[in-house]
């Protein structure tokens, strides 16, 4: 009996010692610093945004198709009926939720790069505006952060101005994704949607349009500042019809967020990309960024590069119901001149050299 008691006592002593050793080891591990926690939150904020834009629409569509063949078939049927009833809402003012602009997650998103908004001229709330956003980049990070989220202080820099951002109309045909886009204040880049914002919501509205679009994303790579703009004149015609002032903006650093495999003009891969662009509205780009666990690995997350969006001088535009081609060309040239002035006056401040030029195609 004494032998058994002694053995038990020895085991208990050993267990206590093991627990004490484990606790000491645990306490010796350094706790994550405030900087580490902040970096992790920034990474998660960017991760959820990228996954939402790349996967939410297609995953929601596949899920609803799957549910049609299960006992939960009534859910996709009711949602389909809702979409049919709600079909025109994206082009009639949408369903914006102002509280989403104030989400803390967007501050972490902003700080990851970081993104900064710079004002060079005042915008009067007595007018409406069309803001040309350049360049497109891969995912339009600068345009989204500045004109959709409130994290960079657009409303504080431009009191009385409400900002909106347009995107591909096809995105609003995808279930659930359309609700996500509308709640944030995005609209289809169509004449009807833009016309509604500029004519049915009074004054003080600024509609941002990424003018280069999908075609411009094919040429996106670090160190290249090429814009697709020469034959993009629809936004000028819309401005003239509604008397909306034209405002150039340029996001320095937008093209540095990803690396892209760029195929030369005339190659069979570039022709395939062009064909897809015409068919589905966007160009399938072969790009990569950093990985989830390390900035040295390759993945689908953007690199942490500073983005500075500079908003330039507005070009005053008269209101004309049916502007002539000559008048559209005239104000298109004035807009390009204002954009070049904005670029040249700020390029050396935000990472470019004096010799860098803005190429407009």
């Amino acid at each position: 009996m004494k032998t058994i008691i002694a053995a038990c006592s020895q085991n208990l002593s050993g267990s206590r010692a093991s627990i004490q050793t484990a606790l000491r080891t645990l306490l010796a591990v350094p706790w994550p610093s405030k900087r580490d926690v902040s970096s992790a939150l920034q990474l998660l904020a960017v991760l959820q945004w990228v996954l939402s834009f790349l996967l939410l629409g297609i995953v929601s569509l596949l899920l609803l198709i799957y549910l049609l063949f299960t006992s939960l078939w009534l859910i996709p049927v009711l949602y389909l009926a809702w979409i049919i009833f709600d079909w025109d809402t994206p082009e009639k003012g949408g369903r914006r939720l102002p509280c989403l602009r104030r989400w803390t997650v967007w501050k972490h998103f902003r700080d990851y790069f970081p993104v900064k908004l710079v004002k060079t001229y005042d915008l009067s709330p007595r007018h409406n505006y069309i803001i040309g956003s350049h360049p497109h980049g891969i995912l339009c990070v600068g345009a989204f952060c500045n004109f959709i989220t409130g994290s960079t202080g657009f409303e504080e820099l431009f009191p009385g101005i409400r900002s909106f951002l347009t995107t591909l109309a096809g995105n609003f045909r995808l279930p659930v994704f359309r609700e996500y886009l509308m709640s944030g204040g995005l609209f289809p880049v169509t004449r009807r949607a833009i016309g509604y914002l500029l004519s049915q919501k009074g004054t003080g509205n600024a509609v941002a349009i990424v003018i280069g679009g999908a075609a411009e994303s094919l040429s996106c790579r670090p160190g290249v500042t090429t814009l697709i703009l020469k034959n993009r004149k629809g936004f000028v015609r819309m401005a003239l019809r509604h008397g909306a002032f034209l405002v150039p903006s340029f996001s320095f650093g937008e093209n540095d967020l990803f690396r892209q495999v760029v195929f030369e003009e005339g190659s069979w891969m570039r022709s395939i990309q062009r064909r897809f662009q015409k068919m589905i509205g966007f160009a399938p780009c072969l790009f990569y960024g950093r990985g989830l666990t390390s900035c040295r690995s390759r993945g689908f997350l953007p690199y942490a590069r500073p983005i500075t969006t500079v908003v330039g001088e507005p070009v005053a535009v008269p209101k004309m119901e049916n502007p002539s081609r000559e008048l559209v060309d005239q104000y298109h040239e004035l807009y390009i001149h204002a954009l070049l002035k904005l670029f040249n006056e700020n390029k050396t401040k935000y990472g470019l050299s004096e010799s860098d030029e803005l190429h407009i195609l």
Side-chain angles (χ1 to χ4, degrees):
M1 179 62 71
K2 290 181 178 180
T3 303
I4 294 173
I5 293 173
C8 290
S9 298
Q10 186 175 0
N11 288 337
L12 289 173
S13 299
S15 299
R16 284 195 295 269
S18 298
I19 293 172
Q20 290 172 353
T21 301
L23 288 174
R24 282 195 296 267
T25 303
L26 181 62
L27 292 175
V29 174
W31 289 91
S33 65
K34 186 177 180 180
R35 182 178 179 180
D36 293 334
V37 172
S38 180
S39 297
L41 291 175
Q42 292 169 15
L43 191 64
L44 289 174
V46 173
L47 176 64
Q48 64 83 26
W49 180 79
V50 171
L51 291 179
S52 297
F53 269 83
L54 295 181
L55 298 177
L56 180 59
I58 189 65
V59 169
S60 299
L61 178 61
L62 294 175
L63 178 60
L64 289 176
I65 293 174
Y66 168 75
L67 291 177
L68 278 173
F69 301 95
T70 69
S71 59
L72 300 175
W73 60 269
L74 188 59
I75 294 176
V77 169
L78 290 175
Y79 184 69
L80 178 60
W82 162 253
I83 288 182
I84 294 173
F85 172 79
D86 196 54
W87 191 259
D88 291 335
T89 298
E91 293 187 321
K92 291 185 176 181
R95 201 163 33 246
R96 185 175 185 171
L97 298 178
C99 60
L100 295 187
R101 292 174 63 90
R102 298 188 293 271
W103 271 7
T104 303
V105 69
W106 300 131
K107 295 181 179 179
H108 297 305
F109 180 87
R110 172 201 65 196
D111 293 339
Y112 170 83
F113 298 96
V115 182
K116 182 181 179 182
L117 181 65
V118 175
K119 180 181 78 169
T120 59
Y121 289 87
D122 291 326
L123 299 182
S124 171
R126 296 194 301 271
H127 303 287
N128 284 327
Y129 302 90
I130 289 181
I131 300 177
S133 179
H134 310 276
H136 182 284
I138 296 294
L139 294 178
C140 304
V141 172
F144 176 85
C145 191
N146 288 299
F147 303 127
I148 289 300
T149 78
S151 61
T152 56
F154 183 92
E155 294 179 350
E156 290 74 25
L157 287 174
F158 302 100
I161 305 296
R162 298 175 295 276
S163 61
F164 305 91
L165 180 63
T166 58
T167 185
L168 288 173
N171 289 331
F172 294 88
R173 305 298 178 242
L174 294 172
V176 181
F177 191 45
R178 70 191 294 272
E179 322 299 341
Y180 175 79
L181 294 177
M182 282 194 291
S183 65
L186 283 98
F187 295 85
V189 60
T190 62
R191 292 181 181 179
R192 187 181 180 190
I194 297 172
Y196 186 96
L197 293 172
L198 296 177
S199 63
Q200 302 297 319
K201 286 183 170 289
T203 59
N205 302 296
V207 182
I209 303 175
V210 186
I211 298 169
E216 195 171 275
S217 66
L218 293 177
S219 302
C220 167
R221 60 184 185 271
V224 176
T225 49
T226 300
L227 305 183
I228 306 296
L229 182 57
K230 275 188 178 179
N231 296 318
R232 301 292 175 96
K233 300 179 181 179
F235 72 102
V236 179
R237 190 175 298 276
M238 287 294 297
L240 285 164
R241 285 178 176 173
H242 298 281
F245 288 15
L246 291 168
V247 182
S249 72
F250 195 93
S251 293
F252 294 91
E254 182 73 46
N255 285 348
D256 298 332
L257 304 183
F258 293 95
R259 302 291 184 268
Q260 181 182 185
V261 180
V262 179
F263 301 100
E264 297 299 325
E265 289 292 344
S267 64
W268 66 275
M269 280 300 297
R270 177 54 73 97
S271 64
I272 290 176
Q273 288 178 313
R274 294 291 189 193
R275 188 167 299 177
F276 265 90
Q277 176 195 333
K278 292 180 180 178
M279 290 172 55
I280 59 180
F282 68 91
C285 302
L286 298 179
F287 66 90
Y288 65 90
R290 59 156 290 178
L292 181 61
T293 57
S294 171
C295 60
R296 296 181 179 86
S297 62
R298 292 188 178 184
F300 56 89
L301 294 178
Y303 292 107
R305 302 286 187 269
I307 302 172
T308 304
T309 300
V310 185
V311 179
E313 180 180 7
V315 177
V317 175
K319 184 175 182 179
M320 300 190 69
E321 187 64 30
N322 294 302
S324 65
R325 179 179 297 180
E326 292 75 17
L327 193 63
V328 171
D329 291 342
Q330 176 187 340
Y331 279 93
H332 186 261
E333 286 297 324
L334 289 173
Y335 175 82
I336 291 179
H337 176 76
L339 176 61
L340 288 171
K341 177 185 176 184
L342 173 71
F343 177 82
N344 290 324
E345 288 180 350
N346 292 277
K347 60 184 180 182
T348 57
K349 300 177 184 177
Y350 305 113
L352 299 180
S353 66
E354 189 64 43
S355 60
D356 285 323
E357 296 181 355
L358 187 62
H359 302 284
I360 297 178
L361 303 179

